[in-house]
Amino acid sequence: MKHIFSLKNIIIGFGIIIIDLFVYIFLGLMLMDYDDFYDESKGAYFSLESMTFWQKVTYISLHFWHVINIIFIVFLVYKLIIKVKKIKSERKIVQDSKRI
């Protein structure tokens, strides 16, 4: 029986978290450009009208990255639930076979 929290899975998990944090840091630094050069005459703060093309790309990319993270977390929870149910059913089969 394979373990859910093996050393390999833990290392892969930490790697994914570190990559995710680097993407958030990069997009956050790119959005600092908007804060530095914001001009009130172009529109309301953080409205798309007041942003340049690359600031819009960064802003939309950040929201897209949020969606990707939510989908990934839901997928991981789903896979974890499936594995736990599978392990429980295997244990029940083994216990039932020992009773016979």
Side-chain angles (χ1 to χ4, degrees), residues 33-47:
D33 175 57
Y34 177 76
D35 283 337
D36 293 340
F37 299 108
Y38 170 66
D39 185 13
E40 290 181 13
S41 64
K42 292 184 179 179
Y45 187 70
F46 259 97
S47 66

Side-chain angles (χ1 to χ4, degrees), residues 2 6 53 57 59 63:
K2 294 184 179 180
S6 66
F53 173 75
V57 168
Y59 180 73
H63 288 292

Side-chain angles (χ1 to χ4, degrees), residues 34-91:
Y34 177 76
D35 283 337
D36 293 340
F37 299 108
Y38 170 66
D39 185 13
E40 290 181 13
S41 64
K42 292 184 179 179
Y45 187 70
F46 259 97
S47 66
L48 291 177
E49 295 86 27
S50 66
M51 295 183 184
T52 64
F53 173 75
W54 290 111
Q55 290 168 345
K56 289 177 188 177
V57 168
T58 304
Y59 180 73
I60 293 169
S61 298
L62 181 64
H63 288 292
F64 182 67
W65 194 250
H66 291 312
V67 171
I68 289 173
N69 275 305
I70 290 169
I71 290 170
F72 185 71
I73 290 170
V74 168
F75 175 74
L76 283 178
V77 169
Y78 171 75
K79 292 298 255 181
L80 187 65
I81 289 171
I82 295 296
K83 279 196 175 198
V84 168
K85 284 184 178 181
K86 182 180 175 185
I87 290 171
K88 283 184 178 181
S89 67
E90 287 175 356
R91 285 184 182 169

